[in-house]
Amino acid sequence: MRRAPTILHLDMDAFYASAEQAAKPSLRGKPVVVGGIGPRGVVSTASYEARVFGVRSAMPTAQARRLCPNAAYLTPRFTLYRQVSDQVMELLHALSPLVEPLSLDEAFVDLEAGGTEADTAAARAVGERLRRDIRRTTGLTGSVGLAGAKMLAKIASEQAKPDGLVVIEPGTERELLGPMTVRTLPGVGPATAETLRRAGIHTIAETAEAGEAELVRLLGKAHGTGLYAMALGRDERPVVAERDAKSISVEDTFDVDLTDRTRVRAEVTRLADRCVERLRAAGRSGRTVVIKVRNYDFSTLTRSETLRGPTDDPSVVREAAARLLDLVDTTGGVRLLGVGVTGLADFTQEDLFAQLATEKAAEEEAERERRVAAEAAREAADEPERPRRWLPGLDVIHEEHGAGWVQGSGVGRVTVRFEQPWSGPGRVRTFPVDDPALRPGEPLPLVGGPTEPPTGPAPEGPAQRGPAQKGADQEAPAPQSSAPATLPNSVSARAASEPGTGPETESGAGMSSR
């Protein structure tokens, strides 16, 4: 434990949804849900306006639609989110060489490693400056927690939401943590919480009072010992700049169960190729190939095969995944498939025969692609192009009207709203899905548009408003997004947070909030 709150935890506020609101002026101040939009989709992020209705991350999209039918349900745009994340991480690395990213929108920072003085005033000043820089650079808001340990810094950032900063002064940890639920502590999931509940332990104070011996008896030595230390506010984990991944995997859930064995095999092959792409992008190789199959009845099976050595060869991973699939009965229907690689390494096992086979396969694949391209060109001359699938939220460009985004599609028509992050709410137009003047577009920057200065503090305007603010120039909601449910500016972080997650008490002793 440190004597000064020099460990910083940043968590961007409703990141995906806030990015969509910043990019789409017509959605600001209105409920937005980002995630899978199909019947088996899952919510990735919900804006604070949608959370008022009970929508939260990891909820089935179908349930979210019942709770908040008038929200805008959008397909994720990971290209945009990664661009914004890179900007935020660059700001964090300017503060310290020790930055530990947890996801695209969350990270720990060791401020002392970056030269920040070990006192509360200096740490607070850095946190406030970071929040201003994030807003100026990305147009979004982030919440900052400062404490003497990682666990406490994360709790502080949860208390700071949305768009705030909270400092936990060293020495006040036990008083602060005491009334909070045990689910607040890292590593306490539903099963552990239920075990503790049956023993009459509900809060962190009761966890500490139970003693280490009792927790070890209930949970085992490793888990019980660690939980007791955290209940006392002790967390000695350092900020680690490079977190070593243990596995790389991809998976897809299908709107309709797959019963055709040929289709299942084709999907496994496609997933294997995507997995290898991620593996190579990370500069890694893997020794064990794993497949995951979730059947129609939600039963889930995994099968694995360990190779002679680490590989990043797509043909090797494909063949291993196909062999594993042969061990699984899929006749009843498959709702989810996944392919992963574990046992990661920074090198590949040299194998002359595998190398020759790979080169031959590459030559065959290139020749096959040339034949397919030639055939497709001939067919394109004889047959009309198949209509594109326009997913809600994705970027498009129209030759006459410019940049916009898909608001909805169906019955051979696609509805597009033409607006940019720096404009006011745009007009809506409808086109045939195969309109040759309409094509997919790329995400526009959230700030720095034609009406905004390139440097210096950004003025208050459409691109700078927070998700819960409504501009006077906003027009009536679009069909996907009616009856905006806005949060008052004085709403507390606890009221706006997702139900059942995070600290469940108001700020306690030893906490100072902005």
Side-chain angles (χ1 to χ4, degrees), residues 21-34:
Q21 288 175 317
K24 301 172 172 62
S26 59
L27 298 184
R28 292 171 190 162
K30 301 171 185 177
V32 173
V33 178
V34 179

Side-chain angles (χ1 to χ4, degrees), residues 155-363:
I155 290 174
S157 69
E158 286 289 336
Q159 291 284 340
K161 284 184 171 294
D163 189 19
L165 181 148
V166 166
V167 178
I168 298 179
E169 295 283 0
T172 64
E173 296 88 0
R174 294 193 64 177
E175 183 179 0
L176 162 70
L177 294 173
M180 294 182 179
T181 173
V182 292
R183 289 294 304 274
T184 305
L185 297 175
V188 179
T192 300
E194 177 60 21
T195 299
L196 296 173
R197 186 196 66 79
R198 290 198 298 266
I201 300 172
H202 304 87
T203 66
I204 296 178
E206 292 171 346
T207 305
E209 291 170 1
E212 183 175 358
E214 176 65 8
L215 294 177
V216 168
R217 185 186 69 81
L218 293 171
L219 306 173
K221 184 172 179 56
H223 197 11
T225 301
L227 188 62
Y228 179 68
M230 288 189 291
L232 298 178
R234 301 172 187 164
D235 182 10
E236 302 297 338
R237 294 175 299 163
V239 176
V240 181
E242 296 294 337
R243 304 177 75 234
D244 193 24
K246 297 182 179 179
S247 65
I248 292 177
S249 63
V250 295
E251 62 181 40
D252 274 345
T253 300
F254 306 101
D255 292 342
V256 179
D257 291 343
L258 304 184
T259 55
D260 182 357
R261 184 72 177 186
T262 302
R263 171 73 187 283
V264 173
R265 182 179 289 274
E267 291 294 339
V268 167
T269 298
R270 181 180 60 84
L271 290 169
D273 289 341
R274 283 176 52 196
C275 182
V276 171
E277 287 178 6
R278 290 191 180 184
L279 193 67
R280 289 182 167 181
R284 310 299 295 274
S285 60
R287 187 183 182 90
T288 301
V289 178
V290 182
I291 68 165
K292 176 180 177 181
V293 180
R294 179 165 296 156
N295 294 314
Y296 69 97
D297 58 357
F298 288 89
S299 61
T300 303
L301 303 173
T302 60
R303 297 290 184 267
S304 63
E305 177 181 319
T306 299
L307 309 173
R308 289 181 298 170
T311 185
D312 63 354
D313 187 328
S315 64
V316 172
V317 176
R318 283 196 298 263
E319 292 169 4
R323 287 193 297 271
L324 294 170
L325 182 63
D326 291 339
L327 304 176
V328 180
D329 180 10
T330 61
T331 54
V334 174
R335 61 181 291 120
L336 177 147
L337 287 171
V339 175
V341 176
T342 64
L344 301 186
D346 295 325
F347 64 94
T348 58
Q349 185 72 35
E350 293 295 334
D351 189 323
L352 179 59
F353 296 104
Q355 182 178 352
L356 293 174
T358 300
E359 292 174 355
K360 182 179 179 181
E363 292 174 358

Side-chain angles (χ1 to χ4, degrees), residues 394-411:
L394 297 188
D395 300 282
V396 295
I397 295 178
H398 192 274
E399 292 179 2
E400 178 183 353
H401 304 291
W405 57 278
V406 177
Q407 190 165 281
S409 65
V411 199

Side-chain angles (χ1 to χ4, degrees), residues 28 37 46 90 124 175-176 235 263 276 413-414 465 496 506:
R28 292 171 190 162
I37 60 174
E90 185 176 348
R124 178 187 290 276
E175 183 179 0
L176 162 70
D235 182 10
R263 171 73 187 283
V276 171
R413 313 288 288 178
V414 55
R465 297 192 191 103
E506 297 295 335

Side-chain angles (χ1 to χ4, degrees), residues 93-110:
H93 280 96
L95 300 180
S96 170
L98 288 183
V99 177
E100 182 179 340
L102 304 179
S103 62
L104 289 176
D105 63 333
E106 185 180 3
F108 287 108
V109 183
D110 186 333

